[in-house]
Structure formats: C-alpha cells, structure tokens
Amino acid sequence: MTGYLLRRIPTALIVLVAASLLIFAVLRLIPGGPESALAGPDATPADLAVIRHDLGLDRGFFVQYFSWLAGVLTLDLGTSYQIGGDIGDLVSSGLTNTLVLTVTAGVFAIVLAFGLSLAATIRPNRVVNALLTGVNAVAIALPTFVVGTVLIAVFGVGVGVLPAGGTPPDGLSDDLWITAQYLLLPALTLGLPAGAMLSRFLTEALQSELAQPYAVTALATGASRSDVVLKHALRNALPSTITAFGLIVGALLGGAVLVEAIFGWPGLGMLTEEGISSRDYPLVQILILLSVSVFVLIQLAADIVHAWLDPRIRLAGSR
C-alpha cells in the first residue's frame, strides 16, 4: 500500500501545481481588470496605472505567480480587493457552511443511491424498475435551479413547513433541529442529482456482478438473491462505485455555488460568485484553488480506498 501511495501522491501534486498555474493565467485573460472596478468608470489611464502598480499587477506574469504561490504555501492568502478583509478570514467564515451543506448532500446522495440500487437489484420487478429509472432520469435531467425553486415554492411558500432560505439566526450548532430545517431543502437540491447518478452506476455494477459465474452458481444452488447481493456482489461492486463517488463529489462542489445562491446559504459558493462579479482576483484564485484541492484530495482518497478493497489495483502499478 505504501508503494501505491508513493506513486499516486506525486501525480496529485503535479495536478495541483498545473491547476494553480492555469487558474492564475485564465483569470488574467478576462477582459478588464480589478483596477477598473476599483477606480470606477471615470478613471483616467493614469489612475488605472497607479492602481495597477499599487496592486503589483504591472509586474511580470511569473513574478506575480510565484509571489502568489509562495503566499499560498505559507498560508498568507492576501487581502481581498473588493469585499475587503483578510482572505483567510473570509474563506474560513464560509467554509463551515459549505462543508455542512456538501457533507449533508453527500450523505443524502449515498443513502438514496444505495436504497434505490438495492431495491432494484434485490427485488427485480418491471414496475419497480420503470419507476426507479424514471426517478433517476428526472433527478439527473432537471437543472438544480428548477429543483430548488420547486422545493422552495412547495415547502417554503405553499405548505410553509420549512424555511425558504438562509441559515439559522443563532448559528448552525445552536439548535440541531432548527439547523436541520434550514439545511434540508438545499441539501436535497444538491444531493438529488448526485444520488441519482451514483444509483445508476451502482445498479449497473451490481447487475454486472450478478452475471458473474460465482453469483450465477450461488443462485442456482438455492442461495437467496438478497444474500448474494448483500454478502458478495455489493462488496465486489464497491471499489468502482467509490471511485465514481469521488468524481461525483466534483459535481457537489460545483453545484454548491448555485444552490447557495438560490437558498441564500452564505458559504464559499456565494463568496465565489461575489468575487467573480467584482473581479476580485486574489479571492477568486484562492477559492477556485481550494475547490480543486478538495476535489483532488477526495479523488486520491477514493483511489486509495479502491486499492485497499481491490489488491489488483495496487499490484498492477508495481509490475
């Protein structure tokens, strides 16, 4: 296992370095710049030049990049141009809300995926399969903003049993019951398509395992379908499913931006949207790099779990 880690970690580091360079470069290709937003529409070219100099934007590209990268490595994230304040403080204030939302949505996606997949596999039935296929298709096809708007209209406005948006006034940890009420609708909106995608993948993996000789033989000798699925097929289907979930986490992180905007959930997604709108380069760079880093780390963890469950994976690269 140690050898597998030593082979995977350098790849993850290379991806992070390449991502940091790409993020830094792409943001500077956007027309306009932060000096225009800071100076206002009536600024003269001389005013813009002074602001660019004060911000260090008139230095060479790689000088700026390595200076920024050194700050990231030393946890000196800089200061926001537009929103104001230390970027580290801004990120930490929104990180808790985003983590709570994303983790809750991920748990919901896992529960939904396993529930639907096991129901469709253990009790195969044409009506049940058609119903589950329809639910999956609708969950994947509907845009996140449509799902969120419908949930708000039904449960937040129509029935009025859940808050339509925002966060608990006394904080997330003050009253868990109140927190759950505020969290339920955005977590459902974010987790529903992820659960549907994971359910489709797990169902196909289980069906593939049930077609293998060991499962066919077990069923032919009188073993119950539920025992074969739960004790054998599920274990063999888990490695590839875990890898797929690592990829789906990327969809959760990306979807959090829109979901937070819909429900007024003050996390990193709303902070990213505000930073992009105001061309706040330092803030947006850190937020995007943080998202990429989290995705890479989760994918690395998923690959490690996959290799731990399936020795063929970690042995294949050692030849």
Side-chain angles (χ1 to χ4, degrees), residues 105-115 195 198 245:
V107 171
F108 173 75
I110 292 173
V111 172
L112 177 65
F114 275 78
L198 189 63
F245 180 71

Side-chain angles (χ1 to χ4, degrees), residues 21-30 61 281:
L21 183 59
L22 185 62
I23 291 167
F24 194 84
V26 167
L27 287 178
R28 278 152 181 76
L29 296 176
I30 301 174
F61 172 81
Y281 283 171

Side-chain angles (χ1 to χ4, degrees), residues 17 21 24 60-73:
V17 172
L21 183 59
F24 194 84
F61 172 81
F62 285 103
V63 175
Q64 295 183 56
Y65 170 72
F66 285 114
S67 175
W68 170 69
L69 187 60
V72 172
L73 295 177

Side-chain angles (χ1 to χ4, degrees), residues 135-314:
V135 170
N136 278 342
V138 171
I140 294 173
L142 282 179
T144 303
F145 68 87
V146 173
V147 177
T149 303
V150 170
L151 290 178
I152 290 175
V154 174
F155 297 101
V157 179
V159 182
V161 295
L162 292 172
T167 54
D170 297 325
L172 294 179
S173 60
D174 184 68
D175 189 324
L176 293 181
W177 174 244
I178 298 297
T179 298
Q181 294 180 48
Y182 277 88
L183 186 59
L184 182 58
L185 291 185
L188 282 174
T189 303
L190 184 58
L192 188 61
M197 288 187 289
L198 189 63
S199 171
R200 176 171 295 183
F201 189 93
L202 180 58
T203 300
E204 292 179 357
L206 288 174
Q207 296 291 354
S208 177
E209 288 299 323
L210 288 177
Q212 298 297 318
Y214 75 89
V216 174
T217 302
L219 292 172
T221 56
S224 67
R225 190 177 180 88
S226 61
D227 283 343
V228 174
V229 171
L230 296 176
K231 295 180 181 180
H232 304 287
L234 181 60
R235 176 179 175 83
N236 293 332
L238 276 181
S240 58
T241 304
I242 290 173
T243 301
F245 180 71
L247 296 173
I248 290 173
V249 167
L252 289 177
L253 295 174
V257 176
L258 185 56
V259 171
E260 288 179 6
I262 293 172
F263 289 92
W265 188 268
L268 296 183
M270 289 188 65
L271 191 60
T272 301
E273 189 275 333
E274 187 175 356
I276 292 174
S277 299
S278 60
R279 302 181 188 277
D280 199 330
Y281 283 171
L283 177 61
V284 175
Q285 287 168 175
I286 293 299
L287 291 173
I288 297 178
L289 183 62
L290 177 62
S291 298
V292 173
S293 300
V294 170
F295 177 76
V296 170
L297 290 175
I298 291 176
Q299 189 59 50
L300 178 62
D303 289 345
I304 291 172
V305 174
H306 188 172
W308 177 65
L309 292 173
D310 190 350
R312 295 172 298 177
I313 301 298
R314 61 176 182 266

Side-chain angles (χ1 to χ4, degrees), residues 34-48:
E35 69 274 12
S36 300
L38 288 170
D42 299 326
T44 65
D47 294 333
L48 297 177

Side-chain angles (χ1 to χ4, degrees), residues 35 38-39 43-58:
E35 69 274 12
L38 288 170
T44 65
D47 294 333
L48 297 177
V50 170
I51 295 176
R52 286 183 61 84
H53 178 73
D54 291 341
L55 298 178
L57 298 176
D58 57 348

